Amino acid sequence: MTQSQEWDRHSILAHMRREKMTLEGIAKRYGLPLSGVKNIWTRPNEKAERAIADFIGVPVETLFRDRYPKTRNRILDPNLVSKKTADKLAIQRKAA
């Protein structure tokens, strides 16, 4: 029986150290600002998260479970939509 590994800050860093990699090395390898990579534990940074996940070889959704999936659900208020967009939405509703 296989169990998926629970990834936290310490296990991510430990895996990187075993591979002789640092956060600074990740920043250089992927062309990212060092501050963005170092602040990954306190501030979401999608590019840095993806770079770390790519280096480790694990999906980003597995490494940073609390940040993914990113939801982009929005409630559309027709009063805040431009006339052009409202017309497009009306046409789409009629076609459906």
Side-chain angles (χ1 to χ4, degrees):
M1 182 167 100
T2 60
Q3 292 179 339
S4 62
Q5 180 177 354
E6 288 295 322
W7 292 94
D8 63 354
R9 173 185 180 169
H10 303 291
S11 60
I12 292 170
L13 288 172
H15 184 83
M16 289 173 57
R17 286 186 191 116
R18 281 192 295 272
E19 301 293 324
K20 308 285 192 247
M21 182 57 72
T22 62
L23 292 175
E24 184 176 358
I26 292 282
K28 285 181 182 177
R29 178 183 276 190
Y30 290 91
L32 300 171
L34 180 58
S35 61
V37 178
K38 283 190 172 186
N39 290 328
I40 196 68
W41 314 118
T42 56
R43 297 184 184 127
N45 183 326
E46 191 169 345
K47 289 181 182 178
E49 292 166 6
R50 292 201 180 278
I52 292 170
D54 180 57
F55 176 77
I56 292 176
V58 175
V60 70
E61 296 84 5
T62 304
L63 281 184
F64 300 96
R65 287 183 188 267
D66 58 333
R67 299 180 186 176
Y68 289 89
K70 293 196 180 282
T71 57
R72 300 184 194 273
N73 297 337
R74 302 283 194 264
I75 297 174
L76 186 59
D77 184 359
N79 298 325
L80 301 176
V81 177
S82 70
K83 175 73 173 141
K84 185 177 179 181
T85 304
D87 291 341
K88 285 182 184 178
L89 291 172
I91 291 170
Q92 290 174 355
R93 280 190 221 116
K94 286 179 186 177

